[in-house]
Amino acid sequence: MTDIKPVEPAKIREVLARNDTARLRLWLKACTSCAICADSCFFYLTNDKKPEYMPQYKVRKTLGELIKRKGEVDREFLEEAKEIAWGRCNMCRRCSQYCPFGIDMGVMIHIARQCLRTQDVCPDRLMTIDESYVKTGNQMEMTDDEFVETCEWMAEEGEDVIKGLEVPIDRENCRIMYTVNAREPKYYPQDIQMAAQVFQVAGESWTMPSHGWEATNLSMFSGNVEVAGMLAQTMYDAAKKLGAEKICITECGHAYRAAKYEGPYWTKQPNGQAPVPVTHAVAVFHEYMKSGKIKLRHKFKEPVTYQHPCNLSRNGDLAKLGVELLYMVAEDVRLMEPHDEYSHCCGGGGGFIPMGPDYKKLRMVSGKYKADQIKATGAKFVLAPCHNCTDQINDLNKEYDLGIKVISFKEILCELMVIPPHLQPDEEEAE
Amino acid sequence: MYDFVNGPFLWIAFTVLIFGSIWQIGSLVLRSRRTDKVFFDHAKPGWMFASIVNWLIPYGSRSWREHPGTTVLTFAFHFCLIFAPLFALGHVVTLAYNWGVDWPSVSDPVTDGLTIVFLIAAAGLLIRRLVKPEVRIVTGPADWLLWAITILPFLTGYLAAHKMLLTPDNMLMVHVLTGGIMLICLPFTRLAHAFLFFFGRAFIGSEFARRGTKTW
């Protein structure tokens, strides 16, 4: 083939130099190859415990080789490394918790992804999404006008449930600026409507920006940190411009992690803090339930389990709040084992879901662990406060015939919350 | 040869150990001031401490609990590795005689016991490396070599104390030689995990603490 681009080692070395931190050096020096990380990894467990799937080996065959060869690698190596860095690791960071030395293999795979990305080696769909972000500011290539129209349409339609339902756009000085996963306005606009219902019933002062409304940050997973930083900055700027007190992220995992924990570093914020505090729908709904701003007619009665998204419960600070909120809204909670920060990835994280059909088979194999966990709880519903987990578990449901339904907190709240009289639609309208 | 090993060589070994370790730690700390903003921005002493201490206790971390066999081997190995040489009567007496510094020692049978437990644990870890595919795949020549470097001082110490294999003087020389080699290797090989452990744990404890996530 003649159309193969030559490898540019200088670009790889640039990434390696940027990431040449004391902690990386320590990790490379301290590892004693004890392999305790192996069975912390669901990829390893679900692929017949093939040793090639154990975390340290995956790091060694990707970042390890890139460092050893100082970026002087060929296309064949890059392709193999791609299959490891994206096809065998979701950067869920569970192995980092199991390593006696606290070696952060998720971060190391992330550095490997950054190296590969400089050579345009990356699952195609993720690269296309990078381009969509640059072109339109969101992963679904929606224009801001389309987004605003969708919000208006949802507000109008939702008046059947809540009198005078609003989805306020660009309102200044609100307590909360709410941002969403572009998948919502594109395919699931009801999600926005449900959020609006909850906010309105709670009496929240909130808004959505007409630009900077996209919360997802898949460039974090493609390894394109420039674009990842651009997205975070756009969101921060929107919040600053509107004078919002807080940014609230929709029920999505990596969006929260990107905005709250990684974004400040990509955008070089002082002290590593976002310029406008970042919170998440789970935390906000928790606050409503606790303070009594939202009251339920009764709790959700069916047996339900909780999917801890890695980016909320391990890489974000919401493990406890998520479970507490579930107990507040549901009667029959059946937690998976292990849960909280030690929970396993659903198998769809780290960019796996948007990597598309090419990777679906791998995703179904590695998702077997989650499917078995869900089955063991006997729950009929899985609450997943993350869009990627939702998609993955829906796929697992079909693949492994789980007979479950995936739901979100918004859905439970909207179904069961008490709507105060002044917000109840007039009788004729309701009919 | 005997005089060299028991004299200058031993001095060299301890000097390399001390200055090598200081250099390794110092250069990492200096580099980290420059490159690890993420650590210094979110350093949480309580979590660093908890993350270190819980991993120093057998079954103190979730990972240790989930690997009960490996945990027993690892702790037996490291406990004896530190305590046998530190409190061996021969070592304490030698130091007291040469330097006049003195600390409590344990009797020879106890040292023998610690040494035997150490050798059994080391054999167990070796077998684990050989038998488990996930460990074997990440094991290279350096791992075997370091294993040998670590156990030889114990094996030779035991043989010397019991006047086996070689003449006592010769065995003692081999014992000091292998011990010195281990000390020299410590700062520059994976054996450096002896001190890197504390820094690695402090970092990860803090890094996950800002996300409310325990690492033990």
Side-chain angles (χ1 to χ4, degrees):
Chain A
M1 285 210 291
T2 50
D3 59 341
I4 293 179
K5 281 205 301 186
V7 180
E8 296 178 73
K11 286 188 175 172
I12 295 177
R13 283 198 291 270
E14 217 172 279
V15 174
L16 293 177
R18 192 171 66 218
N19 288 287
D20 186 10
T21 59
R23 63 184 189 279
L24 180 68
R25 288 193 174 202
L26 184 151
W27 295 336
L28 294 171
K29 269 192 195 125
C31 178
T32 57
S33 309
C34 70
I36 284 182
C37 54
D39 47 27
S40 69
C41 176
F42 68 99
F43 277 100
Y44 170 77
L45 296 173
T46 52
N47 283 283
D48 303 323
K49 298 196 172 190
K50 283 197 199 103
E52 292 81 8
Y53 284 80
M54 72 87 93
Q56 197 230 343
Y57 185 80
K58 291 185 276 191
V59 172
R60 192 184 272 207
K61 286 286 147 186
T62 53
L63 183 65
E65 286 291 317
L66 286 164
I67 292 175
K68 206 162 86 186
R69 301 197 216 165
K70 299 191 172 66
E72 303 282 348
V73 291
D74 52 26
R75 286 271 152 195
E76 200 185 332
F77 167 84
L78 292 176
E79 285 304 316
E80 279 167 25
K82 171 181 148 189
E83 284 317 306
I84 299 173
W86 277 280
R88 295 184 188 180
C89 174
N90 285 5
M91 304 185 336
C92 78
R93 285 174 118 194
R94 195 169 187 269
C95 49
S96 319
Q97 294 178 291
Y98 276 80
C99 170
F101 304 102
I103 296 172
D104 204 333
M105 284 156 278
V107 166
M108 290 161 100
I109 290 287
H110 188 231
I111 301 171
R113 286 190 184 188
Q114 290 175 47
C115 291
L116 300 175
R117 185 69 183 81
T118 62
Q119 309 302 315
D120 288 336
V121 172
C122 172
D124 294 344
R125 292 274 299 261
L126 280 182
M127 284 207 281
T128 322
I129 289 173
D130 283 342
E131 285 162 25
S132 306
Y133 278 134
V134 173
K135 239 185 334 193
T136 60
N138 67 83
Q139 54 155 322
M140 298 282 168
E141 298 210 5
M142 268 191 119
T143 65
D144 290 342
D145 288 345
E146 278 175 294
F147 170 72
V148 172
E149 271 165 35
T150 306
C151 290
E152 284 166 359
W153 164 46
M154 279 300 117
E156 207 175 299
E157 213 174 64
E159 288 193 67
D160 295 352
V161 188
I162 304 279
K163 197 159 121 185
L165 184 71
E166 275 189 300
V167 180
I169 302 289
D170 289 337
R171 190 177 281 172
E172 289 184 3
N173 303 319
C174 290
R175 193 177 84 102
I176 279 174
M177 182 185 94
Y178 185 62
T179 58
V180 294
N181 183 328
R183 181 178 169 284
E184 296 176 40
K186 183 86 177 179
Y187 298 115
Y188 303 88
Q190 302 296 6
D191 254 38
I192 296 177
Q193 190 189 92
M194 285 189 284
Q197 289 178 24
V198 175
F199 287 142
Q200 197 134 343
V201 169
E204 184 62 85
S205 138
W206 73 293
T207 189
M208 288 174 88
S210 58
H211 182 67
W213 49 268
E214 163 72 303
T216 68
N217 200 321
L218 291 166
S219 298
M220 171 161 80
F221 295 135
S222 75
N224 193 335
V225 287
E226 288 81 15
V227 174
M230 179 202 87
L231 286 163
Q233 191 65 54
T234 309
M235 192 198 286
Y236 300 152
D237 288 345
K240 280 195 281 192
K241 194 173 135 211
L242 294 177
E245 263 177 57
K246 283 181 193 179
I247 297 168
C248 173
I249 310 282
T250 185
E251 285 178 78
C252 175
H254 67 282
Y256 179 64
R257 173 179 175 186
K260 183 164 180 178
Y261 292 104
E262 322 299 348
Y265 285 95
W266 298 324
T267 58
K268 301 195 167 41
Q269 305 293 332
N271 307 319
Q273 303 287 350
V276 177
V278 176
T279 186
H280 189 267
V282 163
V284 170
F285 297 161
H286 184 277
E287 184 191 316
Y288 295 159
M289 286 299 298
K290 202 166 182 187
S291 64
K293 281 185 183 161
I294 298 271
K295 288 190 183 68
L296 302 185
R297 296 199 302 278
H298 58 80
K299 284 190 178 183
F300 189 74
K301 292 201 165 83
E302 299 285 333
V304 58
T305 185
Y306 187 73
Q307 163 55 18
H308 280 280
C310 303
N311 291 317
L312 290 188
S313 294
R314 179 170 22 254
N315 296 301
D317 47 7
L318 295 172
K320 295 234 154 17
L321 281 189
V323 174
E324 268 177 37
L325 179 58
L326 187 58
Y327 274 106
M328 285 186 215
V329 301
E331 228 166 58
D332 186 359
V333 175
R334 301 178 184 185
L335 294 181
M336 290 181 224
E337 201 50 55
H339 52 80
D340 282 41
E341 66 250 64
Y342 278 99
S343 176
H344 277 279
C345 172
C346 60
F352 228 138
I353 287 275
M355 272 145 57
D358 298 355
Y359 289 86
K360 172 141 189 224
K361 210 170 156 221
L362 294 178
R363 192 151 59 77
M364 289 302 101
V365 172
S366 61
K368 174 87 171 27
Y369 197 92
K370 189 53 65 179
D372 289 344
Q373 271 188 309
I374 293 172
K375 227 186 261 172
T377 66
K380 293 278 161 277
F381 288 80
V382 179
L383 196 131
C386 167
H387 291 305
N388 274 320
C389 296
T390 300
D391 286 350
Q392 167 75 351
I393 296 172
N394 275 328
D395 284 348
L396 292 175
N397 189 23
K398 283 182 215 134
E399 181 82 15
Y400 296 105
D401 218 1
L402 300 175
I404 47 109
K405 192 171 179 312
V406 189
I407 46 169
S408 67
F409 279 122
K410 283 192 280 275
E411 285 172 272
I412 291 193
L413 292 179
C414 285
E415 194 180 310
L416 297 175
M417 70 187 167
V418 177
I419 298 170
H422 71 280
L423 291 177
Q424 283 175 10
D426 302 329
E427 298 261 323
E428 308 101 67
E429 266 182 56
E431 281 161 17
Chain B
M1 181 75 178
Y2 181 89
D3 288 340
F4 172 74
V5 168
N6 284 288
F9 172 73
L10 207 50
W11 280 105
I12 293 169
F14 275 107
T15 311
V16 170
L17 169 73
I18 291 165
F19 286 97
S21 303
I22 291 174
W23 180 75
Q24 287 285 10
I25 294 169
S27 62
L28 275 177
V29 168
L30 286 180
R31 171 172 289 273
S32 105
R33 291 257 157 222
R34 213 171 60 239
T35 59
D36 294 288
K37 214 172 155 331
V38 66
F39 172 70
F40 293 100
D41 278 346
H42 307 283
K44 289 207 168 115
W47 286 73
M48 289 187 229
F49 185 72
S51 186
I52 292 169
V53 167
N54 283 291
W55 279 84
L56 287 176
I57 301 168
Y59 306 112
S61 72
R62 189 179 178 113
S63 187
W64 286 143
R65 286 193 293 278
E66 285 183 18
H67 302 95
T70 308
T71 303
V72 168
L73 290 177
T74 308
F75 275 90
F77 179 87
H78 286 94
F79 177 83
C80 299
L81 173 72
I82 293 164
F83 282 87
L86 210 54
F87 296 109
L89 185 61
H91 289 179
V92 175
V93 169
T94 309
L95 270 181
Y97 177 76
N98 286 306
W99 289 357
V101 282
D102 201 2
W103 63 74
S105 59
V106 296
S107 66
D108 283 342
V110 174
T111 307
D112 278 352
L114 288 171
T115 308
I116 289 167
V117 171
F118 172 83
L119 292 172
I120 292 170
L125 290 171
L126 188 78
I127 291 167
R128 180 177 178 271
R129 250 187 212 293
L130 282 166
V131 171
K132 292 189 147 218
E134 75 271 26
V135 199
R136 211 172 49 219
I137 196 172
V138 290
T139 299
D143 296 293
W144 303 118
L145 189 66
L146 283 179
W147 182 87
I149 287 173
T150 311
I151 68 128
L152 275 175
F154 290 82
L155 190 63
T156 54
Y158 187 85
L159 294 174
H162 293 274
K163 304 185 176 27
M164 290 154 82
L165 208 61
L166 301 174
T167 61
D169 272 2
N170 279 340
M171 193 45 101
L172 190 66
M173 187 185 75
V174 177
H175 172 60
V176 177
L177 188 69
T178 52
I181 289 172
M182 180 174 77
L183 297 181
I184 289 169
C185 288
L186 195 139
F188 305 107
T189 62
R190 298 201 175 278
L191 297 180
H193 73 263
F195 51 79
L196 294 179
F197 167 84
F198 298 92
F199 294 93
R201 287 244 61 85
F203 174 76
I204 206 78
S206 237
E207 159 63 9
F208 274 100
R210 71 190 182 110
R211 303 163 196 259
T213 295
K214 281 197 310 188
T215 52
W216 59 87

